[in-house]
Amino acid sequence: MRQDTGISRRQFLQGSAAAAGTFALGGLSANLAFGKGSDAFKVGLIGCGGRGTGAAADCLAAAAELKVDLNIVALADAFADRVKGAKDRFKVADARCFTGLDAYRKLIATDVNLVILATPPGFRPLHFAEAVEAGKNVFMEKPVAVDPTGVRSVIETSALADEKKLGVVAGTQRRHQAAYIETIKRIHDGMIGEIVSAQCYWNQGGLWVHKRGPNESDVAWQIRNWLYFVWLSGDHIVEQHVHNLDVINWAVNAMPERVVAMGGRQARTAPEFGNIYDHFCVEFVYPKECRTISMCRQIDGADNRVSERVAGTKGVSDCCGTIKDHKDNVLWKYEGENPNPYVVEHKDLLSSIRDGKPLNEGKRIAESTMCAVMGRISAYAGREFATEWAMKKCGLDLFPKDLKMDGQLPVEPVARPGVTKLEDLKEPPKRKKGK
Amino acid sequence: MAEQARNKKTDAGKPAALAATAAAVGSAVNLAFAQGSDKIKVGLIGCGGRGTGAVRNCMEADPGVEVIAVADLFEKQARGAKAGLERDGKFKDRTKIPDDHVFWGFDACKKLLATQVQVVLQAEPPGFRPRHFKAAIEAGKHVFFEKPVAVDPAGARIVLEAARLADQKKLNVVCGTQRRHEFSRVELMKRIHDGAMGELIGGQCYWLGGGIWYKMPDQGTTEFDWQCHNWYHFCWLSGDQICEQHIHNIDVMNWCFQGPPKNFLGIGGRVCRDYSSQAKQVSKLFNDGDESKWEKYNGDIWDHIGTELEYPNGARVLSMGGHGGAGRGGERLVGTKGFSDCAGSITGENAWRYSGPHPNGMVQEHADLLKSIREGKPLNEGVRIAESTLTAIGGRMSAYTGRAFSWNWLLKESKLDLWPGEDKLKSGPGIFYPIPSGHDPLV
């Protein structure tokens, strides 16, 4: 794992901020006009893969339910074929379809007032920063970063979004799912007492893989096959398990204070699977010594389990509809409707902007992303550390310098405890062998 | 052994001799018994570091103990154990091992059981333990055996059956999970079981440590002999780290919950355990200079396993065992009324801290065994340690296969049996399995 201090991205951001300064003012005034409900939503989609086009469709469905005027008016993707697929589906004019690694910047320079960020997560901090600088409201998929440098960037950008009164919602749809919302409300009201233990899991089989084409450059192949490269996806604990970690943060209403993790790459070892692990087991220690189990796995043929659970002094909950006491008696059960949370999250964003009270989930999703990043870093390096270290001192920045689509980019070796070092974390005392 | 170092530390820095005095005082009641002809004859099976350590712990625990026989797979080990004890100023007077009571080879255990020994100390690699234990009980011996007591469900069932036979024969059985004999923990568990922490709803246990030894073959050693010397690296001999080492902590959790878990979910792998440079040398030695077969000499165990143990009351406990990653040890219990370190204190509504003496648990476990033998009050930990061993085996199996399963399935239906069979036990080719994949078939 590289330990660069991340000057490249920082400089990149500063440069772009200056360039985008004029747009920022324009964006601000545009958003105020929304508040009066007089303007249509003009949506730009950055990242036209399956999740991106899915999110755009969910956004359209949300607008229809809200009866607000909304159109997908611009598209951006690193790859032309991806843009073309979305163009045909959403009927976007050629002039507003952008391709290449700088496509996002061209899209942001148009008059869109809401952007959907659905590129591989490694790009998210950069795209989010430029979108907010330019005064765009944002819907962004999870996770929102792959390293602490990116997390800090997203937190800064979120503060800027607050100043600019921009709406920011993240694709952790459980936060917009009625059964979760009603359950967590009761947990916060004390129905299970003080939370003293929790568990969350995302154990499943494998996902799609894109084998390298004959003429694909290192960079192009890695971006196509982004799930399997840490600099792009953050590893599956970040890319996928962040959903469950976010729920535990929500239920406990805090960030963990410490992390110790283990993980490895046992079954999914072929080169097309890049350099990520296939399993993690993490302990997060929340305030008041509340310790949680987090497990995630992507191994074909292994058992599935995707869920959360919190145990308090008075009862337990699955966080999504059921609360029981410690004798297994049901204390409360959610029996209301469960509208599609992938649409609700967009409705919540759109209506908050329309009503002039923009939601801003940026800091929260950055923190949940950080939990997942910490779990990964702890497992890779075989080290326990405090959240404060990761938040304030860990300089890990995985974003490649001078990224070019036809460029070379050797695959970083798979992390190994003992080999993978955290240079700016003090060495622990020597351990003894035992009986 | 670090385990002993750890105990010395809990003795608040007292030298081991002081701790030993405390243990002797503890068994003062029995001294009357020990006088006259009341000697207890002890034999050792497995003459490695832990075995000779256990003999010393046993002699320290009771002045009537005499060691009269030793057995090991290897002549050098068996002779070395005898010589070492005879040189030990503290114990040489009670080391009475005639030359014809030094046994080696695959039938060494059988020969030792045919002597006048009354108590057998078993410290051979865990893969051999179930069958040796069964033989010892059938031969009418009391047993102290090291943990773990098996490496697979088939072996655990052998131990369970033999432990029940020990009950019938009124034989005493104690296991080297010394935490069960530490006064602070014994007092703590009484309180936990009396409800001081309310309902138990969670817990954690950890043994995350450094790497392990790797031994090069001696001149003329066969592959099988070398493998037995390097037993920790092979699952059929050690049961992997979760079973061989982390069982201590898992056993404490079972103690808290007064029985084994009902469900298992494990995850793990091998990401940093690497002995390739030595393994290549070994490959050359055993294959006429060919180093390409090195992988099997790299061992087949993993370096980390994380398991969720779900106990019958629904509590979910995290177990983490590993080598080479983060460092962590100990146990922790969560109840509706407080927390416990599982070592000697409770925080919360019924806060409590143990303040009595801390005799060395690794001596006390022998003191408790010998006392029960002298007083004719049966102490049989066989079923309990077989269950704790099977708990660790279950965690490992769940991780190796990626499958979740129940205790009942594990105990009654799993057909996993790593024992190679008596006919394969001979100085010759080793017995090698591939490194588990994380989605191995569940049997």
Side-chain angles (χ1 to χ4, degrees):
Chain A
M1 194 192 297
R2 266 195 316 278
Q3 292 295 310
D4 301 340
T5 46
I7 293 160
S8 60
R9 177 157 59 192
R10 210 160 274 282
Q11 286 172 338
F12 200 12
L13 284 175
Q14 280 165 355
S16 67
T22 46
F23 294 113
L25 280 174
L28 184 60
S29 58
N31 208 37
L32 288 176
F34 268 117
K36 293 170 190 151
S38 62
D39 221 344
F41 284 102
K42 286 174 283 198
V43 178
L45 172 62
I46 300 175
C48 301
R51 184 78 285 271
T53 51
D58 293 332
C59 186
L60 285 167
E65 287 186 27
L66 288 173
K67 296 186 172 49
V68 300
D69 197 4
L70 182 146
N71 293 294
I72 311 293
V73 301
L75 302 170
D77 198 284
F79 301 109
D81 58 309
R82 290 287 191 200
V83 173
K84 180 162 189 324
K87 175 178 151 344
D88 296 345
R89 180 168 175 186
F90 298 113
K91 313 279 181 262
V92 177
D94 280 335
R96 287 169 170 266
C97 293
F98 307 103
T99 300
L101 286 176
D102 61 350
Y104 76 96
R105 185 171 281 169
K106 293 174 186 161
L107 183 145
I108 287 170
T110 69
D111 64 346
V112 296
N113 46 33
L114 168 62
V115 292
I116 295 173
L117 304 182
T119 61
F123 294 107
R124 192 92 69 249
L126 172 66
H127 292 180
F128 181 49
E130 293 206 26
V132 169
E133 291 282 358
K136 314 297 184 186
N137 297 290
V138 173
F139 175 87
M140 54 182 172
E141 271 305 332
K142 38 50 62 176
V144 297
V146 298
D147 52 38
T149 309
V151 167
R152 285 189 287 269
S153 163
V154 170
I155 290 173
E156 270 176 44
T157 303
S158 301
L160 183 63
D162 266 345
E163 282 173 33
K164 294 187 168 212
K165 298 191 175 19
L166 295 170
V168 178
V169 161
T172 34
Q173 78 284 349
R174 287 165 175 77
R175 295 266 187 170
H176 300 267
Q177 190 169 341
Y180 274 97
I181 293 168
E182 292 303 313
T183 309
I184 301 279
K185 200 185 284 174
R186 281 159 182 83
I187 291 170
H188 289 169
D189 286 347
M191 196 176 248
I192 65 167
E194 189 177 337
I195 296 175
V196 286
S197 175
Q199 297 84 34
C200 62
Y201 323 84
W202 195 306
N203 295 344
Q204 66 154 67
L207 293 170
W208 56 263
V209 61
H210 173 84
K211 289 196 182 178
R212 190 167 187 159
N215 299 314
E216 270 181 317
S217 69
D218 290 350
V219 170
W221 173 59
Q222 289 182 30
I223 294 175
R224 285 272 188 196
N225 196 30
W226 62 273
L227 284 174
Y228 303 103
F229 302 95
V230 184
W231 74 273
L232 282 162
S233 71
D235 207 324
H236 69 98
I237 185 173
V238 179
E239 204 281 319
Q240 202 170 49
H241 190 40
V242 64
H243 278 299
N244 318 106
L245 297 173
D246 181 58
V247 169
I248 301 299
N249 277 5
W250 185 15
V252 179
N253 206 8
M255 278 272 276
E257 294 174 337
R258 293 200 313 280
V259 61
V260 61
M262 48 175 56
R265 180 177 163 106
Q266 200 63 26
R268 195 169 55 183
T269 54
E272 63 261 32
F273 299 112
N275 55 10
I276 69 167
Y277 278 5
D278 58 19
H279 67 275
F280 292 88
C281 177
V282 189
E283 179 184 273
F284 291 102
V285 183
Y286 282 80
K288 297 188 182 173
E289 282 294 308
C290 169
R291 300 191 189 191
T292 68
I293 305 173
S294 131
M295 277 186 179
C296 56
R297 173 168 63 197
Q298 289 181 350
I299 295 181
D300 285 331
D303 283 337
N304 296 336
R305 191 193 283 186
V306 180
S307 60
E308 305 90 22
R309 181 178 178 271
V310 290
T313 51
K314 293 178 185 165
V316 296
S317 175
D318 61 0
C319 300
C320 61
T322 310
I323 293 177
K324 292 178 174 180
D325 68 12
H326 288 301
K327 303 286 174 213
D328 215 33
N329 302 307
V330 175
L331 299 179
W332 174 82
K333 205 166 174 52
Y334 179 71
E335 279 161 351
E337 292 187 354
N338 238 329
N340 180 354
Y342 292 97
V343 173
V344 176
E345 59 190 356
H346 288 278
K347 280 173 79 175
D348 291 346
L349 172 63
L350 297 176
S351 58
S352 80
I353 297 167
R354 180 194 62 194
D355 300 343
K357 293 175 183 165
L359 276 175
N360 186 350
E361 302 181 344
K363 181 167 185 284
R364 185 270 296 170
I365 185 60
E367 288 176 348
S368 294
T369 299
M370 189 58 162
C371 293
V373 168
M374 291 196 302
R376 182 196 76 218
I377 293 175
S378 175
Y380 279 10
R383 300 289 303 277
E384 175 174 353
F385 54 79
T387 304
E388 197 185 353
W389 172 81
M391 276 296 212
K392 294 185 179 159
K393 295 187 180 157
C394 178
L396 185 69
D397 182 353
L398 300 171
F399 201 77
K401 288 184 173 73
D402 306 321
L403 192 67
K404 291 190 184 70
M405 192 57 101
D406 57 357
Q408 292 189 333
L409 190 61
V411 177
E412 291 277 327
V414 176
R416 277 178 59 194
V419 176
T420 302
K421 303 277 188 200
L422 300 175
E423 271 81 5
D424 44 1
L425 185 63
K426 256 170 55 180
E427 279 300 308
K430 284 259 186 284
R431 290 190 301 274
K432 291 169 183 162
K433 295 176 183 182
K435 168 185 161 183
Chain B
M1 294 264 146
E3 192 59 29
Q4 285 164 312
R6 201 183 305 270
N7 274 297
K8 280 177 196 162
K9 215 185 296 169
T10 58
D11 278 338
K14 277 183 219 162
L18 271 183
T21 319
V25 171
S27 57
V29 190
N30 312 324
L31 284 180
F33 263 93
Q35 281 160 4
S37 63
D38 261 357
K39 300 292 184 194
I40 292 184
K41 297 187 181 73
V42 169
L44 170 65
I45 300 173
C47 296
R50 182 78 286 273
T52 52
V55 168
R56 287 176 168 88
N57 295 148
C58 184
M59 289 201 270
E60 206 166 307
D62 186 310
V65 166
E66 291 180 346
V67 54
I68 65 152
V70 291
D72 197 279
L73 185 53
F74 305 109
E75 177 179 359
K76 196 175 152 191
Q77 294 281 110
R79 289 197 184 282
K82 170 174 147 76
L85 288 166
E86 285 171 346
R87 275 198 309 272
D88 189 327
K90 200 166 163 191
F91 301 115
K92 62 182 178 189
D93 294 344
R94 291 190 276 144
T95 301
K96 298 179 176 173
I97 311 170
D99 283 340
D100 64 357
H101 276 40
V102 180
F103 306 106
W104 61 89
F106 290 102
D107 57 355
C109 165
K110 201 170 154 191
K111 289 176 183 164
L112 183 136
L113 293 175
T115 68
Q116 297 299 304
V117 297
Q118 297 159 286
V119 181
V120 172
L121 310 185
Q122 283 187 249
E124 67 287 74
F128 292 103
R129 202 153 291 140
R131 287 157 187 86
H132 287 179
F133 176 62
K134 181 170 183 253
I137 297 300
E138 284 172 352
K141 314 295 184 186
H142 302 286
V143 171
F144 171 86
F145 53 174
E146 270 304 331
K147 37 49 63 176
V149 298
V151 297
D152 52 31
R157 283 182 212 115
I158 291 173
V159 174
L160 283 168
E161 206 175 299
R164 291 187 185 112
L165 181 64
D167 267 346
Q168 289 169 26
K169 293 187 152 201
K170 298 197 185 348
L171 293 170
N172 295 279
V173 177
V174 163
C175 180
T177 36
Q178 73 279 1
R179 286 162 180 73
R180 294 264 186 170
H181 298 265
E182 290 171 10
F183 291 1
S184 57
R185 292 186 200 257
V186 171
E187 290 303 312
L188 172 71
M189 289 298 168
K190 274 184 207 159
R191 282 161 179 81
I192 291 172
H193 296 157
D194 283 347
M197 293 179 60
E199 181 88 14
L200 305 183
I201 54 176
Q204 296 84 28
C205 62
Y206 321 88
W207 193 310
L208 303 173
I212 49 171
W213 39 258
Y214 184 101
K215 292 174 184 164
M216 299 304 287
D218 291 334
Q219 197 68 35
T221 301
T222 70
E223 210 178 48
F224 186 93
D225 292 349
W226 171 82
Q227 191 173 34
C228 289
H229 276 302
N230 278 289
W231 57 273
Y232 204 136
H233 296 273
F234 302 96
C235 191
W236 75 269
L237 283 163
S238 72
D240 206 330
Q241 188 258 354
I242 185 175
C243 189
E244 204 284 327
Q245 199 169 50
H246 185 37
I247 186 177
H248 278 300
N249 318 103
I250 289 173
D251 180 54
V252 169
M253 299 321 299
N254 280 2
W255 194 5
C256 292
F257 287 91
Q258 302 183 73
K262 68 171 176 183
N263 287 312
F264 295 82
L265 173 63
I267 269 180
R270 174 172 170 134
V271 67
C272 63
R273 197 189 286 289
D274 178 19
Y275 303 91
S276 52
S277 60
Q278 297 105 308
K280 281 173 187 166
Q281 288 182 52
V282 175
S283 176
K284 281 185 187 172
L285 288 165
F286 287 134
N287 299 282
D288 299 324
D290 178 5
E291 70 170 30
S292 71
K293 297 189 165 68
W294 65 275
E295 277 175 329
K296 63 181 180 178
Y297 307 109
N298 205 15
D300 60 27
I301 63 166
W302 280 2
D303 57 26
H304 65 276
I305 293 178
T307 312
E308 179 182 275
L309 305 171
E310 185 185 345
Y311 282 88
N313 72 348
R316 297 188 191 190
V317 168
L318 170 65
S319 128
M320 283 180 146
H323 284 154
R328 190 75 94 77
E331 308 89 25
R332 186 170 170 274
L333 186 66
V334 181
T336 53
K337 293 181 180 174
F339 300 100
S340 174
D341 61 358
C342 298
S345 72
I346 295 172
T347 56
E349 206 173 296
N350 300 308
W352 172 81
R353 178 171 289 278
Y354 177 75
S355 61
H358 286 280
N360 181 349
M362 292 179 76
V363 175
Q364 189 60 38
E365 58 193 0
H366 290 278
D368 291 344
L369 171 65
L370 296 160
K371 184 178 176 206
S372 73
I373 293 170
R374 290 187 185 286
E375 294 182 351
K377 290 180 186 161
L379 174 59
N380 185 349
E381 301 181 349
V383 170
R384 184 271 295 171
I385 187 59
E387 287 178 349
S388 288
T389 299
L390 190 54
T391 305
I393 291 167
R396 182 196 76 214
M397 287 171 61
S398 178
Y400 279 9
T401 61
R403 304 291 305 280
F405 49 75
S406 72
W407 170 261
N408 279 338
W409 177 85
L410 179 67
L411 179 68
K412 293 175 186 156
E413 296 184 42
S414 169
K415 294 184 172 56
L416 187 70
D417 184 353
L418 301 173
W419 182 244
E422 304 294 333
D423 56 325
K424 296 248 177 64
L425 301 181
K426 53 186 169 231
S427 256
I431 293 158
F432 298 99
Y433 296 93
I435 294 174
S437 66
H439 52 174
D440 281 359
L442 183 63
V443 289

